[in-house]
Amino acid sequence: RSQRSLCGCTCSRSVCRMISRIYASLMRHVSDCKGAMTTKTGIPIEYHAWESRGEEDKLPAKTLIGIDGFNFVENGGLWVVRMSIVLSSYQDINLMREFELLDILHKWFGEGAKVPLRDMDTGEENNELVVGEFEITPMMQSMLRNYRVVSLELLRTSGD
């Protein structure tokens, strides 16, 4: 017999929290990538929630990385997630630090890379998204910061 979940429907709890599960899994993967970047390069990097916005002059004086532009499409059993990862280097005049970080980001999120989907309660990996498209867009900049947007498309057939 079906029981009502927190949302009031009779679906399983993991299905009810599908979007938040995908977003949290992506945040975790970006954060893990950030850790690998810092370990490999020694560059201090902080996660930043770009969709929360804010004033540039109040950003920390360090390199920032985070998700922006999250988009989810469910179509006939196929999940398509489109999102951007924004990498903002601080006072990186010749951009060499930025490109070193982009190499690592590509290793973690390049075409064919797998991004684990995690259980919201246990954190265990129980499925995955596959990167179908990886695009580095032209740089934007201000007086202090460079902004590089990496656009991604991730795919998975729904089944859980």
Side-chain angles (χ1 to χ4, degrees), residues 21 28 32 115-119 122-128:
R21 175 178 165 227
R28 166 78 181 268
D32 290 350
V115 176
L117 287 175
R118 299 179 179 276
D119 182 278
T122 66
E124 291 180 24
E125 296 178 17
N126 56 17
N127 218 316
E128 62 191 20

Side-chain angles (χ1 to χ4, degrees), residues 38-158:
T38 298
T39 299
K40 182 164 178 141
T41 66
I43 299 169
I45 304 169
E46 187 173 306
Y47 186 90
H48 182 71
W50 293 106
E51 293 182 315
S52 67
R53 303 295 173 231
E55 297 178 33
E56 184 181 55
D57 62 341
K58 294 183 179 164
L59 292 174
K62 58 176 65 171
T63 298
L64 303 173
I65 191 169
I67 295 173
D68 193 20
F70 176 83
N71 176 272
F72 174 80
V73 177
E74 185 176 32
N75 184 359
L78 179 68
W79 296 354
V80 180
V81 176
R82 293 181 188 95
M83 61 175 261
S84 296
I85 298 174
V86 178
L87 177 65
S88 177
S89 56
Y90 182 74
Q91 295 182 332
D92 185 11
I93 296 168
N94 64 9
L95 303 180
M96 291 313 297
R97 288 182 297 178
E98 177 183 318
F99 281 100
E100 189 175 359
L101 296 174
L102 286 170
D103 282 339
I104 298 167
L105 189 64
H106 181 258
K107 182 178 177 182
W108 281 68
F109 287 94
E111 185 177 353
K114 293 181 167 85
V115 176
L117 287 175
R118 299 179 179 276
D119 182 278
M120 292 283 288
D121 298 318
T122 66
E124 291 180 24
E125 296 178 17
N126 56 17
N127 218 316
E128 62 191 20
L129 296 169
V130 178
V131 179
E133 186 175 312
F134 176 97
E135 177 186 4
I136 299 173
T137 64
M139 182 186 69
M140 301 170 283
Q141 64 186 157
S142 69
M143 294 303 286
L144 293 176
R145 305 190 78 81
N146 299 320
Y147 295 90
R148 185 71 69 168
V149 176
V150 176
S151 297
L152 301 170
E153 182 176 84
L154 302 104
L155 307 166
R156 192 188 81 80
T157 56
S158 62

Side-chain angles (χ1 to χ4, degrees), residues 1-20:
R1 183 173 175 197
S2 295
Q3 292 183 324
R4 293 214 176 263
S5 65
L6 296 175
C7 69
C9 69
T10 57
C11 62
S12 73
R13 190 170 170 206
S14 65
V15 171
C16 288
R17 298 181 343 174
M18 177 176 56
I19 306 301
S20 58

